[in-house]
Amino acid sequence: GAGVSQSPSNKVTEKGKDVELRCDPISGHTALYWYRQSLGQGLEFLIYFQGNSAPDKSGLPSDRFSAERTGGSVSTLTIQRTQQEDSAVYLCASSLGAGRGGTDTQYFGPGTRLTVL
Amino acid sequence: TQLLEQSPQFLSIQEGENLTVYCNSSSVFSSLQWYRQEPGEGPVLLVTVVTGGEVKKLKRLTFQFGDARKDSSLHITAAQPGDTGLYLCAARRNTNAGKSTFGDGTTLTVKP
């Protein structure tokens, strides 16, 4: 089936506005991850979902960041009152998930490039 | 705290040369992955290593996991312009699930 998809691909917003980023994981993948990446840098972990619950949200940088996942599928990352330092590429990944045996491989989407003016 | 240190950060070489990229940590991980990322795309997995001392080969790419499972290297033989990209190492404490910790990446440019 199709890979991980993310929308929008690009988002430009003004400081102080709220934004929502969407991730559609690979069908059948129970685990979903959000990371963010600054230009030419490595990925910074934000949050991990197993099913609809988030056992690890340790990477969320502030309470302006939240994420939810419904139906064990689509996830939305919401950033409230955006700041210029939130500008980055936000990447979503999915994997088969815990308890499925073997080494769990993460498959990444193309990302959403967020620019906060 | 940066748990994975990658070096070099930038590498520019001529086509046909060999190169090695290093990924080091003071922590022990269950598995380590190498990814390649092109502009505008997400990282694509190249290999996963899980056993200390393990060596895996993928065409011109050779991956090694240190005996103590704290470090890894990626060696490319006879680099080609198509190898150009950002190479990322990532490690996980749990092979079955959970977050990956990424290094800051090595930007490789191979000139024809």
Side-chain angles (χ1 to χ4, degrees), chain A residues 32-36 42-48 56 58-59 93-95 103-108, chain B residues 2-4 29-35 43 45 47-48 88-103:
Chain A
L32 186 147
Y33 310 77
W34 284 99
Y35 295 86
R36 71 177 177 181
L43 279 65
E44 174 190 4
F45 169 77
L46 298 177
I47 187 169
Y48 153 58
D56 189 353
S58 62
S94 71
S95 69
T103 302
D104 189 59
T105 297
Q106 296 179 54
Y107 296 87
F108 284 85
Chain B
Q2 179 60 40
L3 296 181
L4 286 177
F29 293 99
S30 296
S31 68
L32 190 140
Q33 294 80 40
W34 284 94
Y35 292 85
L45 181 69
V47 76
T48 296
L88 296 157
C89 68
R92 302 174 86 175
R93 297 192 185 282
N94 185 332
T95 57
N96 292 327
K99 70 181 181 184
S100 290
T101 299
F102 281 80

Side-chain angles (χ1 to χ4, degrees), chain A residues 5-13 18-24 32-37 46-47 49 65-69 73-80 82 86-92 111-116:
Chain A
S5 61
Q6 293 185 244
S7 61
S9 55
N10 279 284
K11 177 71 176 179
V12 180
T13 189
D18 298 351
V19 296
E20 283 190 354
L21 312 179
R22 176 186 169 108
C23 173
D24 282 88
L32 186 147
Y33 310 77
W34 284 99
Y35 295 86
R36 71 177 177 181
Q37 183 178 29
L46 298 177
I47 187 169
F49 287 93
F65 287 73
S66 63
E68 65 176 12
R69 190 179 185 196
S73 182
V74 173
S75 176
T76 302
L77 176 69
T78 300
I79 309 173
Q80 296 178 309
T82 52
D86 298 335
S87 297
V89 175
Y90 288 80
L91 289 157
C92 175
T112 294
R113 179 175 297 279
L114 175 66
T115 303
V116 182

Side-chain angles (χ1 to χ4, degrees), chain B residues 13 17-21 60-62 74-80 83 87 108:
Chain B
I13 61 172
E17 293 183 353
N18 302 332
L19 66 112
T20 302
V21 177
R60 294 178 292 101
L61 278 60
T62 302
L74 157 61
H75 182 79
I76 301 178
T77 303
Q80 299 176 359
D83 296 328
Y87 288 81
L108 171 65

